[in-house]
């Protein structure tokens, strides 16, 4: 049995709808399932999603304040006013800044940009930077991807005589800033048709309005911020990203080629994953560690040499960021594991001196993945007496609302249900942990503390092909609200498996449903080789990929998770070197069982963990998920009783038998008869003196002669006095099978035949019958 640490929730798309989409649109079964699972209720829904056009882009002038914003900027252009684009330090802010700089420069503006340093200025509009801009002669400030919460700095900018246009997409508070114009897709409520634009999406709408036509050259920048900021990939966001990816694949922009080079990405195969896992993190890294301006300079670079130089700088920052994240994560884990007060809280609140505040959000996400508990990671500054950090949550714990209950000790915080940022006094860290723990215990059930794996695309083996997988890629981009499919293969069997890789830490498995076969690979899942067995139904979740080798394309399943509710038999019979099979057994969880004292003597030092010597009454045998049967009992009944008491989900069958009788067998009736007559014809025969000679004469094993002698003694057919044997002619007639030694050897041979020397499938069946 293998149970996942996550709760699998498998959703099955409507079969009738899937068939309709498959037939009407000539799609593969998998593509039709994905569309049905993503909310396409009709063929028309699916067609509109598959064939998006520029008509998907809403008129920018539908956004409240757009006409006024265009008029104010055109006034600035006509009068040669200095314009400042005020951005943010993440990938969305950097790409938003780039979009706005491009359009303003194209229109001939006198424009510059500033991005706050998160460690010096913090997030959003900043009084110091605004005063600096005023001293530089700036007359118009345009914020991008920020500003909706910058009430006081914007008020000061207005007092200084500058006009301010805010373009933002973040959640507005109860009070709006005193800007001249606010461009926001949700302000006022319901005014603009789509409220989930990224910051770069709002900047793009302004650019569209200023150009007077759709600026397709800006799509590649819009795709970066939209993907990196995890906004829903639906409606016009979907079209913007789809077009942006298409533009990047054929772009001559120096930044695209430079970023592909440092990230080892193939330009022709750029996807939303390339942006999310390669481009976005590198653009974010500089802002996490210091100044974000190099990100804008890269995107604006006009020659390859400059782009490569900056891309390498971003790459170095990203590597440094990874090292910092790993270091802080390791320290945080050590604190959780060593400090009972911290580790036992349902909300993990971990604080460390001097931790980089720019990466603690990433660390919090890592810890949520590891422990699946709401997590806050704080950087302590003892000089200021403050703790500043980020939080990530789990389903069922509304982070913003729960933090809001602690406003008396949490003066500065913001966020949403799943993520937040905050600053508080160091002296209140322990109090916050205690309060949040109590709040979590009141609202989180044990079930909610188990991570859920939502699986929406069950597969059949005959649906999977290289062509189907290529078709699936055309359904993208995948992301928030249009997630990448999570596939499941249910109740398949293993045809073959082997460890792969230099360190044998990966696994390759051939799966089958009894008809079709499918290659599967699990990276860093080599341990499954010792946890999976043949002849059982297993379910796998994961992704589909194409393995291309020498021009041949083949479908391949990439394993993410696995589970089976069936018990498993691990066949370690006949492996002489203990180290070879012992490494495959979870020693700390398994019960090692021996029926014979000599087995314990032999294995105790080799195994290194206690061995259970089975008491004949079974009083010392308890339930155990994993059992290792080191040897055979005296009879089958004892083994059956052990199985009933342990009720194992895994059995490791070793059955060490140094005195195996299987190949010796039992002497034939003819042999017994000849030997009886031999002794009968030789009264007072000194058997012990001549037994070896007799074995040589007959060609029988010496052990066989000793065994037959023991049988005769037990049945009283032969007696021995003073070393001389005499046949008892008056002994009552009895079958040879009545002799205890004959019964014992017969049972042992039968046991060995069924348990030690039987093929795996027969042994599995034998255990099956007894476990069920």
């Amino acid at each position: 049995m293998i149970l996942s640490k996550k709760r699998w929730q498998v959703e099955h798309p409507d079969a009738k709808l899937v068939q309709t989409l498959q037939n009407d649109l000539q799609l593969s079964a998998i593509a039709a399932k994905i569309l049905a699972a993503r909310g396409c209720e009709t063929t028309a829904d699916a067609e509109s999603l598959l064939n998006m056009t520029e008509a998907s882009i809403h008129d920018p002038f539908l956004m409240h304040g757009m006409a006024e914003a265009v008029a104010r900027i055109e006034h600035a252009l006509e009068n040669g006013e200095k314009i400042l684009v005020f951005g943010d330090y993440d990938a969305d802010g950097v790409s938003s800044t780039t979009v706005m700089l491009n359009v303003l420069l194209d229109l001939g503006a006198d424009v510059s940009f500033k991005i706050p340093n998160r460690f010096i200025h913090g997030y959003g509009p900043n009084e110091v930077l605004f005063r600096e801009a005023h001293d530089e002669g700036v007359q118009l400030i345009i914020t991008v991807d920020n500003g909706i919460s910058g009430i006081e700095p914007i008020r000061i900018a207005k007092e200084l005589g500058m006009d301010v246009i805010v373009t933002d997409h973040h959640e507005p508070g109860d009070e709006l800033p005193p800007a001249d114009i606010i461009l926001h897709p949700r302000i006022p409520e319901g005014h603009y048709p789509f409220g989930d634009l990224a910051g770069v999406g709002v900047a793009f709408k302004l650019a569209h309005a200023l150009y007077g036509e759709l600026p397709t050259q800006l799509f590649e920048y819009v795709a970066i911020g939209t993907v990196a900021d995890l906004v829903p990939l639906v409606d016009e966001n979907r079209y913007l990203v789809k077009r942006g990816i298409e533009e990047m694949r054929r772009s001559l922009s120096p930044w695209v080629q430079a970023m592909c080079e440092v990230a080892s990405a193939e330009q022709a195969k750029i996807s939303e994953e390339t942006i999310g896992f390669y481009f976005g993190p590198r653009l974010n890294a500089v802002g996490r560690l210091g100044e974000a301006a190099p990100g804008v300079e890269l995107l604006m670079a006009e020659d390859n040499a400059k782009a490569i130089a900056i891309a390498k700088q971003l790459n170095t920052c990203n590597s440094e960021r990874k090292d910092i994240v790993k270091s802080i994560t390791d320290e945080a884990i050590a604190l959780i594991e060593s400090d009972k007060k911290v580790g036992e809280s349902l909300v993990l609140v971990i604080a460390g001196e001097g931790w980089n505040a720019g990466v603690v959000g990433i660390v919090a996400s890592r810890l949520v993945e590891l422990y699946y508990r709401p997590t806050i990671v704080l950087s302590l500054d003892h000089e200021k007496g403050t703790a500043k950090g980020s939080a990530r949550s789990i389903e069922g714990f509304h982070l913003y609302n729960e933090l809001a209950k602690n406003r008396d000790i949490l003066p500065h915080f913001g966020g949403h249900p799943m993520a937040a940022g905050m600053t508080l006094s160091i002296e209140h860290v322990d109090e916050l942990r205690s309060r949040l723990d109590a709040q979590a215990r009141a609202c989180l059930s044990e079930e909610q503390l188990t991570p859920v794996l939502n699986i929406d695309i069950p597969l059949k083996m005959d649906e999977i092909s290289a062509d189907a997988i290529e078709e699936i890629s055309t359904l993208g981009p995948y992301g928030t609200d249009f997630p990448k499919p999570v596939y499941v293969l249910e109740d398949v069997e293993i045809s073959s498996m082997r460890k792969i890789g230099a360190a044998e830490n990966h696994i390759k498995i051939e799966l089958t449903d009894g008809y079709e076969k499918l290659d599967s690979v699990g990276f860093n899942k080599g341990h499954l080789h010792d946890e999976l067995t043949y002849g059982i139904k297993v379910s796998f979740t994961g992704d589909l990929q194409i393995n291309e080798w020498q021009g041949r394309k083949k479908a391949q399943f990439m394993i993410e998770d696995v589970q089976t509710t069936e018990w498993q038999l691990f066949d370690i019979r006949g492996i002489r070197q203990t180290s070879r099979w012992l490494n495959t057994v979870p020693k700390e969880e398994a019960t090692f069982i021996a029926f014979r004292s000599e087995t314990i003597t032999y294995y105790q030092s080799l195994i290194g963990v206690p061995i259970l010597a089975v008491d004949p009454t079974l009083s010392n045998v308890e339930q155990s998920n994993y059992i290792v049967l080191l040897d055979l009992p005296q009879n089958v009944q004892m083994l059956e009783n052990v199985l009933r008491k342990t009720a194992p989900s895994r059995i490791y069958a070793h059955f060490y038998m140094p005195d195996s009788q299987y190949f010796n067998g039992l002497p034939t009736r003819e042999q017994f008869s000849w030997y009886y007559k031999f002794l009968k014809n030789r009264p007072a025969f000194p058997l012990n003196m001549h037994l070896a000679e007799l074995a040589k004469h007959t060609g029988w094993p010496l052990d066989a002669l000793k065994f037959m002698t023991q049988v005769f003694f037990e049945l009283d057919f032969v007696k021995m006095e003073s070393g001389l044997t005499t046949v008892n002619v008056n002994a009552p007639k009895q079958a040879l099978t009545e002799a205890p030694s004959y019964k014992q050897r017969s049972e042992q041979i039968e046991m060995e035949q069924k348990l030690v020397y039987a093929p795996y499938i027969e042994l599995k069946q034998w255990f099956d019958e007894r476990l069920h």
Side-chain angles (χ1 to χ4, degrees), residues 429-473:
V429 170
D430 288 343
E431 174 68 14
L432 180 64
R433 179 189 299 113
S434 177
R435 290 189 188 183
L436 291 175
D437 176 52
Q439 290 168 218
R441 292 182 189 280
C443 69
L444 289 175
S445 66
E446 188 171 339
E447 186 178 14
Q448 287 174 304
L449 290 166
T450 303
V452 175
L453 178 61
N454 292 306
I455 305 163
D456 53 1
I457 312 295
L459 298 175
K460 294 178 181 177
M461 297 276 274
D462 61 4
E463 297 172 341
I464 302 171
S465 67
D467 288 342
I469 296 171
E470 287 183 334
E471 184 181 55
I472 293 163
S473 65

Side-chain angles (χ1 to χ4, degrees), residues 105 110 204 240 283 401 610 655 735:
L105 288 170
D110 180 0
F204 179 81
L240 290 170
L283 288 169
N401 289 349
F655 297 142

Side-chain angles (χ1 to χ4, degrees), residues 595-607:
F595 298 95
R596 305 163 189 258
S597 59
E598 55 267 32
T599 303
I600 297 175
T601 302
Y602 179 78
Y603 277 112
Q604 190 62 77
S605 60
L606 295 173
I607 292 176

Side-chain angles (χ1 to χ4, degrees), residues 50-310:
L50 292 171
N51 303 307
M52 297 186 81
T53 66
E54 289 185 3
S56 304
I57 300 292
H58 302 301
D59 182 348
F61 287 97
L62 293 175
M63 190 173 291
H64 181 75
M66 185 64 74
E68 292 82 353
V70 170
R72 179 62 187 87
I73 293 170
E74 287 177 344
H75 176 79
L77 294 172
E78 290 168 5
N79 292 281
E81 294 181 10
K82 282 183 176 290
I83 302 174
L84 174 70
V85 176
F86 190 85
D88 185 28
Y89 39 65
D90 66 1
D92 189 13
V94 166
S95 56
S96 301
T97 303
T98 304
V99 164
M100 195 51 53
L101 287 174
N102 268 280
V103 61
L104 292 174
L105 288 170
D106 279 353
L107 296 175
D110 180 0
V111 61
S112 61
F113 77 95
K114 289 183 187 292
I115 295 178
N117 182 305
R118 76 163 71 216
F119 303 103
I120 300 171
H121 309 112
Y123 168 76
N126 179 268
E127 179 183 341
V128 172
L129 293 179
F130 281 3
R131 289 186 181 279
E132 213 175 78
H134 179 260
D135 293 343
E136 293 166 359
V138 169
Q139 293 164 278
L140 173 63
I141 296 174
I142 304 173
T143 72
V144 288
D145 190 37
N146 74 96
I148 201 65
S149 61
I151 296 169
E152 186 59 21
I154 290 175
R155 184 188 63 77
I156 290 171
K158 292 298 298 171
E159 286 180 357
L160 292 170
M162 296 182 287
D163 286 346
V164 180
I165 298 174
V166 167
T167 77
D168 200 356
H169 73 122
H170 292 97
E171 202 62 39
D174 295 334
E175 182 183 355
L176 296 178
D180 295 272
I181 302 159
I182 295 176
L183 297 181
H184 193 294
R186 295 188 301 283
I187 299 175
E189 186 73 28
H191 192 76
Y192 186 70
F194 181 61
D196 287 320
L197 290 169
V200 71
V202 182
F204 179 81
K205 304 310 291 189
L206 178 54
H208 186 180
L210 286 166
Y211 278 121
E213 60 184 21
L214 193 64
T216 57
Q217 76 276 15
L218 300 180
F219 277 138
E220 60 188 41
Y221 306 117
V222 183
I224 297 171
T226 303
V227 170
D229 219 51
L230 302 178
V231 293
L233 289 191
V234 297
D235 204 281
E236 64 182 329
N237 278 350
R238 183 168 191 76
Y239 182 75
L240 290 170
V241 172
K242 193 177 183 73
R243 280 294 304 274
I245 290 171
E246 290 171 359
E247 296 297 328
M248 281 188 215
R249 286 176 177 173
R250 56 175 177 256
S251 175
L252 298 178
S253 298
W255 81 264
V256 177
Q257 297 173 21
M259 196 69 98
C260 284
E261 182 174 327
V262 299
S264 300
E266 190 175 342
Q267 184 174 349
K269 293 183 179 179
I270 288 174
S271 68
E272 65 274 18
E273 291 190 345
T274 313
I275 299 170
F277 294 110
Y278 297 101
F279 295 175
R282 284 168 171 79
L283 288 169
N284 277 324
V286 282
R288 291 187 186 281
L289 301 185
E291 296 292 342
V296 176
E297 291 164 7
L298 169 65
L299 298 182
M300 296 290 292
E302 295 182 353
D303 65 85
N304 291 332
K306 181 178 181 181
I308 281 289
I310 301 174

